[in-house]
Amino acid sequence: MIQARKLQERFHQIYGGPSNVYRAPGRVNLIGEHTDYNDGFVMPAAINFYTWIAAAPRNDRRVCVHSENFSEDVEFSLDDPQPQRRGHWSDYPRGVAVTLEQAGCRLRGANLAIHGEVPLGSGLSSSAAIEVATGYALLANSGRTANLVKLAQVCQRAENEFVGMRCGIMDQFISCCGKAGHVLRLDCRTLEFRLAPLPPGVTLVIVNSMVRHELAGGEYNKRREECEVGVRYLAGHLPQIRALRDVTLGDLERYGSGLPKDVYRRCRHVITENVRVAAAEAALEHGDLSEFGRLMSESHRSLRDDYAVSCSELDLLVSLAHKIDGVYGARMTGGGFGGCTINLVQSDRVADFRNRVGVEYQRATGRTPEIYVSQAADGVQAVTSAN
Ligand code: ADP
Ligand code: MG
């Protein structure tokens, strides 16, 4: 593989000597948005955009990291008694190393060269890709085999506790456990998951709106709090519930009338979205892509109207997609307030889709969207052995 060979060459220039190459994918979520932190259900696929890492062991307990994306080098010791977050890209690999050690995995020191091709900060989870690739590489480099579910949990903990981002488990999980040609339906409470094949002849097309509204981070945390307010209130009537995952629409209608209007809507989105994930899984089982696409469109409406996390650019991209033949479904994906849409498109219509969405979005907004075409890809893996 050309990328692996090139990265080994870069590694050799930077550190000297041979290296092994590993890669972990970014992801796109087909349906089940803002449900992961409510103990609910999600249905992502890994995409064929990866973070690549060339790694070799060192004889001490230092980790040296070179990022091709930032043209920067960082070094730290695995024996540092009080590792501190720096608010810098190196928090991601360092957080994973620190968290693996805390989890009882004693690591060897390592030289790492990282090249990420998942667009950074666009909602395709370059953060999970760098975490999972780093964790997998550090474990392999220490002669250990990764347990993929545990690795996903360690990477999530690193992002929550070391980086300081309160993300759910979805991104790290799919980057670990994705399978080519399949979507993964994950129960975010139990981590029980099922892989379901995507029918042939369909392609994932991701459109980057090229906007990222300022409110994104703050509003994400606010939505989480609104969900928590909903659960606390509803638990007054339904003492057995722990999360919105345990609440039905009937429960909400029966007991939710005293909730602030916005909180009621946030709860309704999460509850109906969980139902849509189950329906989408059934539709896929029956090969019914039209139904799957209809559920994606409903999900978008619910995110726009009830969860209030869309924006005019995402709404425009979705409505443009709906006008094009061969589009089964379209919706915003990721946290919202910008970022990307996911479109399920008949493979022979992808070229037409690209042209039309590209031209019409540009005409309406003055921005040129980036469009990424992907098949569902495999999760983290070793790509080559030492050269
Ligand atoms: P997303 O996960 O949607 O891409 P995030 O803000 O969660 O966006 O994560 C992006 C951050 O992850 C980057 O700003 C950088 O700090 C880090 N990162 C991702 N990929 C790389 C890379 N290849 N090299 C260095 N840092 C990276
Ligand atoms: Mg991220």
Side-chain angles (χ1 to χ4, degrees), residues 157-186:
R157 203 174 319 135
E159 187 154 344
N160 288 171
E161 292 169 13
F162 198 84
V163 177
M165 164 70 191
R166 284 184 76 196
C167 58
I169 186 79
M170 170 172 73
D171 298 358
Q172 292 80 8
F173 200 95
I174 184 68
S175 187
C176 282
C177 300
K179 184 170 176 206
H182 290 69
V183 297
L184 184 152
R185 201 279 286 129
L186 175 66

Side-chain angles (χ1 to χ4, degrees), residues 76-283:
F76 58 87
S77 166
L78 292 166
D79 294 319
D80 186 340
Q82 276 193 312
Q84 298 293 323
R85 129 179 13 147
R86 288 177 53 194
H88 183 257
W89 62 264
S90 58
D91 290 348
Y92 293 85
R94 187 166 191 192
V96 170
V98 167
T99 312
L100 276 170
E101 288 261 331
Q102 282 168 355
C105 299
R106 189 163 168 92
L107 299 173
R108 287 185 73 171
N111 290 328
L112 306 176
I114 303 181
H115 169 68
E117 60 189 18
V118 183
L120 271 58
S122 297
L124 301 179
S125 214
S126 69
S127 55
I130 190 176
E131 289 154 11
V132 170
T134 305
Y136 195 91
L138 288 175
L139 287 169
N141 197 58
S142 309
R144 291 167 175 271
T145 315
N147 170 320
L148 293 179
V149 172
K150 286 205 178 119
L151 179 60
Q153 290 173 303
V154 161
C155 291
Q156 183 202 12
R157 203 174 319 135
E159 187 154 344
N160 288 171
E161 292 169 13
F162 198 84
V163 177
M165 164 70 191
R166 284 184 76 196
C167 58
I169 186 79
M170 170 172 73
D171 298 358
Q172 292 80 8
F173 200 95
I174 184 68
S175 187
C176 282
C177 300
K179 184 170 176 206
H182 290 69
V183 297
L184 184 152
R185 201 279 286 129
L186 175 66
D187 179 335
C188 295
R189 172 176 282 167
T190 64
L191 300 189
E192 177 260 335
F193 69 97
R194 270 207 297 265
L195 289 158
L198 273 172
V202 66
T203 299
L204 308 175
V205 185
I206 299 155
V207 185
N208 189 340
S209 67
M210 309 305 280
V211 299
R212 188 90 202 131
H213 293 293
E214 279 301 308
L215 353 122
E219 290 291 315
Y220 180 88
N221 290 334
K222 200 165 141 201
R223 293 298 174 281
R224 290 193 66 139
E225 283 158 22
E226 287 171 324
C227 292
E228 286 161 11
V229 168
V231 172
R232 271 199 300 276
Y233 178 88
L234 292 166
H237 300 275
L238 302 160
Q240 76 285 7
I241 67 167
R242 282 196 286 136
L244 286 177
R245 133 74 170 277
D246 303 312
V247 181
T248 66
L249 192 56
D251 292 335
L252 180 68
E253 285 166 352
R254 198 163 312 124
Y255 301 117
S257 55
L259 282 168
K261 214 166 151 204
D262 282 350
V263 174
Y264 185 96
R265 289 194 168 147
R266 310 301 182 244
C267 295
R268 185 166 61 188
H269 165 72
V270 174
I271 293 165
T272 57
E273 186 78 351
N274 279 330
V275 174
R276 280 188 288 274
V277 175
E281 192 183 13

